[in-house]
Amino acid sequence: MPSVLNLQTQDVDTEEKRANYTVSIVGCGQNGILYADAFAEAGYKVTCNDENPNLLRRLTKAKNCCVPPEIETRLKKHISIGNLTTSNVRKSTVAQSDIIVLAINIRVDTKKKSDTLELEGVYKQVGTALKQGALLIYGGVGGFGATENLLKETLENTSGLKEGKDFLLAYNPLYLPKTCQIKSLNNIELIIASANQQSLDIATIVLKTLTPKVKQTNQVKLAELAILFKAVQQDINIALANELSIFCENTGMDYFKVQELINDEKSNFCPTIEAEENRKETYLLIESAENLNIKLRLPQLGRQINEERVKHAINLTQEALRSCDKSLRRAKVAILGTSNQNTVTTKYIEAATAKGAKVALYDPTIVKNETLDTLPVLKKSLSETVENADCLVILTGQEHFKRLNLKRLKAVMKKPAVLVDLIGIVEPEKIQAEGFIYHGIGRGVDKP
């Protein structure tokens, strides 16, 4: 097998040739799964590594991996034929790999500052196992300047190898918001960046086996800003939509019907409580600006507006319950959301519990028999979650929640049954026709 350091296009121009190269994906979140799917589809031998056993369990079953069903189908195929395997042992996985994709993002702490401790720990683990001649692609978000500073320096210090001479390093910023209906990496344009021309060229050859649409730049910081700017623009647009949705809620208008009249994709941003997905990138950019004595006012304001959405969501829930002479205090609230920690779901649960509500949570991505100890309010089934509930709250836009059997749900809930849609995925008329009391984000309720 030819060395990755000297890789040529003809070395990977067929699936048979690509099968000679082993790829490890470090980090099995959504982006990691998308990389795994793309590399396995291209014919590489792929090993997915993560220290979270629940994520690996889901991936092994190719079920509920936070990706569209068509990707899960492909994952199942590649697992069955042996193209895709999983491992929770990071060092041995990396040591046996020709190409390593790091799909782990930096954390932002409670003070809204970057916390590099976990990410640096991953870099050290990878560095100690990195073999000479490997190509490492960073596909996460590490902040402005992090790739050439923290990542490169940590890898060189722990491995004893030199980037550009002993191993190759490139950055492939991958930002895929929930509004982006991605079915695979081969239908989006990828950016690849490296200050080292050899690393840039060879990483480009590899990524072009996944998609023909690849942009190159030898300025890594430019690519880092690209992912941050994209997320911040999304965050600000959602903040505006959230503000306008409040106008609609208070005037009996429907924000979503206004958007249908506009019929312009560029302005088609929906109000949502899920804008937390942009939180990390926005704060990383704000922090970088502050370090340079630059004040970014609009990103700050957008974040403030979006972070107030949990409070607004609780208010909507209270209004919905009051409209049928119920109170949030002591009400049973069934939540359709995510069991992941430090998300808008957990914030909503904390706020509702503080108001005296009894909360039950259903997350369809939990694999059967997966431990529920980390979140006591989490239930094993939808029916158990909604049984005797006063109010059903939709907090995330998972595909499963778009196909709810409303008649069956209403039959097991307390009457009158209340439904609150906090992301705008259900039609008010359909909900009301089933006899629910309906309130939704951006959906105005007629005032007397």
Side-chain angles (χ1 to χ4, degrees):
M1 181 182 70
S3 169
V4 177
L5 290 176
N6 301 309
L7 189 75
Q8 301 293 319
T9 301
Q10 59 267 27
D11 296 327
V12 288
D13 58 1
T14 67
E15 288 190 19
E16 290 75 17
K17 292 178 182 178
R18 293 193 281 268
N20 293 320
Y21 296 87
T22 301
V23 179
S24 63
I25 311 295
V26 179
C28 293
Q30 182 191 42
N31 284 10
I33 297 298
L34 289 171
Y35 277 118
D37 168 62
F39 274 101
E41 273 291 288
Y44 296 93
K45 297 295 184 182
V46 179
T47 301
C48 291
N49 168 262
D50 201 289
E51 294 181 338
N52 184 333
N54 289 336
L55 288 180
L56 291 182
R57 191 177 298 116
R58 294 177 195 176
L59 180 55
T60 301
K61 295 176 180 291
K63 184 178 179 182
N64 299 326
C65 298
C66 299
V67 291
E70 52 264 44
I71 294 182
E72 290 187 349
T73 300
R74 292 198 297 267
L75 292 174
K76 188 175 296 186
K77 175 190 70 174
H78 290 298
I79 290 169
S80 65
I81 63 178
N83 278 1
L84 179 61
T85 58
T86 63
S87 171
N88 62 356
V89 184
R90 182 156 294 159
K91 289 186 177 180
S92 61
T93 302
V94 171
Q96 298 168 24
S97 300
D98 307 296
I99 302 166
I100 303 106
V101 179
L102 286 178
I104 297 180
N105 297 328
I106 196 171
R107 287 180 180 268
V108 171
D109 61 23
T110 56
K111 296 180 180 179
K112 303 171 184 177
K113 300 295 182 183
S114 59
D115 179 2
T116 63
L117 188 62
E118 180 186 32
L119 200 59
E120 190 172 359
V122 174
Y123 292 169
K124 288 179 178 178
Q125 289 177 337
V126 172
T128 55
L130 190 66
K131 72 175 184 179
Q132 189 165 8
L135 165 65
L136 190 143
I137 298 173
Y138 181 52
V141 178
F144 184 58
T147 306
E148 294 179 308
N149 295 329
L150 180 63
L151 175 55
K152 179 182 174 181
E153 290 179 9
T154 303
L155 291 176
E156 288 186 336
N157 290 338
T158 53
S159 68
L161 305 174
K162 287 296 179 182
E163 192 273 330
K165 177 184 176 183
D166 302 311
F167 71 96
L168 305 177
L169 174 64
Y171 180 47
N172 172 221
L174 195 59
Y175 172 72
L176 301 170
K178 290 183 174 65
T179 53
C180 177
Q181 298 299 316
I182 183 70
K183 295 184 178 180
S184 70
L185 291 188
N186 65 14
N187 61 3
I188 66 171
E189 187 171 65
L190 299 179
I191 297 172
I192 187 69
S194 181
N196 178 276
Q197 192 61 46
Q198 183 185 13
S199 295
L200 183 62
D201 291 342
I202 292 177
T204 300
I205 290 173
V206 170
L207 289 179
K208 278 190 172 181
T209 64
L210 311 185
T211 173
K213 297 174 285 187
V214 176
K215 280 184 178 178
Q216 282 187 329
T217 176
N218 55 13
Q219 297 184 59
V220 177
K221 288 183 179 179
L222 207 64
E224 289 170 335
L225 285 181
I227 191 171
L228 296 178
F229 283 9
K230 187 175 182 179
V232 170
Q233 288 168 359
Q234 176 91 0
D235 206 27
I236 292 171
N237 284 327
I238 291 175
L240 177 59
N242 282 335
E243 286 285 87
L244 297 178
S245 72
I246 294 175
F247 180 92
C248 290
E249 290 166 17
N250 285 278
T251 56
M253 296 291 104
D254 189 323
Y255 177 94
F256 297 89
K257 290 182 179 178
V258 173
Q259 285 296 314
E260 288 176 10
L261 292 177
I262 295 173
N263 195 28
D264 180 359
E265 290 185 5
K266 292 183 179 179
S267 65
N268 190 21
F269 284 91
C270 295
T272 179
I273 193 173
E274 286 190 288
E276 288 296 287
E277 66 173 350
N278 303 301
R279 178 181 184 273
K280 173 176 68 269
E281 289 85 0
T282 301
Y283 283 129
L284 288 175
L285 182 62
I286 290 171
E287 182 180 12
S288 296
E290 288 175 347
N291 292 338
L292 297 168
N293 295 317
I294 301 169
K295 186 175 182 179
L296 298 178
R297 293 173 294 175
L298 200 52
Q300 285 274 19
L301 180 59
R303 266 293 82 217
Q304 180 184 338
I305 291 170
N306 288 335
E307 291 191 351
E308 290 172 352
R309 296 308 282 174
V310 172
K311 181 179 179 181
H312 182 65
I314 293 293
N315 290 339
L316 275 179
T317 307
Q318 288 178 311
E319 289 176 13
L321 287 166
R322 277 197 297 264
S323 70
C324 56
D325 298 321
K326 292 185 178 184
S327 169
L328 184 58
R329 182 174 174 80
R330 288 190 296 273
K332 179 179 177 181
V333 179
I335 297 172
L336 308 185
T338 175
S339 58
N340 294 336
Q341 297 297 307
N342 302 315
T343 62
V344 70
T345 299
T346 53
K347 290 181 180 180
Y348 180 91
I349 289 173
E350 290 169 2
T353 304
K355 292 283 186 180
K358 297 177 182 178
V359 174
L361 169 67
Y362 176 63
D363 179 357
T365 66
I366 295 297
V367 175
K368 188 177 180 180
N369 299 325
E370 190 169 301
T371 178
L372 306 181
D373 296 340
T374 55
L375 203 56
V377 300
L378 187 63
K379 305 301 179 183
K380 293 184 179 180
S381 68
L382 178 59
S383 58
E384 181 186 1
T385 305
V386 302
E387 187 175 3
N388 294 320
D390 296 282
C391 179
L392 177 63
V393 177
I394 304 176
L395 267 173
T396 58
Q398 299 179 47
E399 194 65 31
H400 188 83
F401 299 154
K402 299 176 183 178
R403 304 187 303 272
L404 296 173
N405 188 323
L406 298 172
K407 194 179 295 293
R408 184 178 297 175
L409 293 178
K410 182 173 176 286
V412 298
M413 292 177 65
K414 289 181 182 177
K415 309 299 185 292
V418 177
L419 189 148
V420 180
D421 179 9
L422 295 174
I423 56 172
I425 66 169
V426 296
E427 291 296 329
E429 294 81 6
K430 183 178 179 181
I431 301 302
Q432 292 168 333
E434 291 292 342
F436 283 88
I437 303 298
Y438 172 85
H439 275 57
I441 192 169
R443 312 277 195 181
V445 177
D446 291 336
K447 307 294 180 182

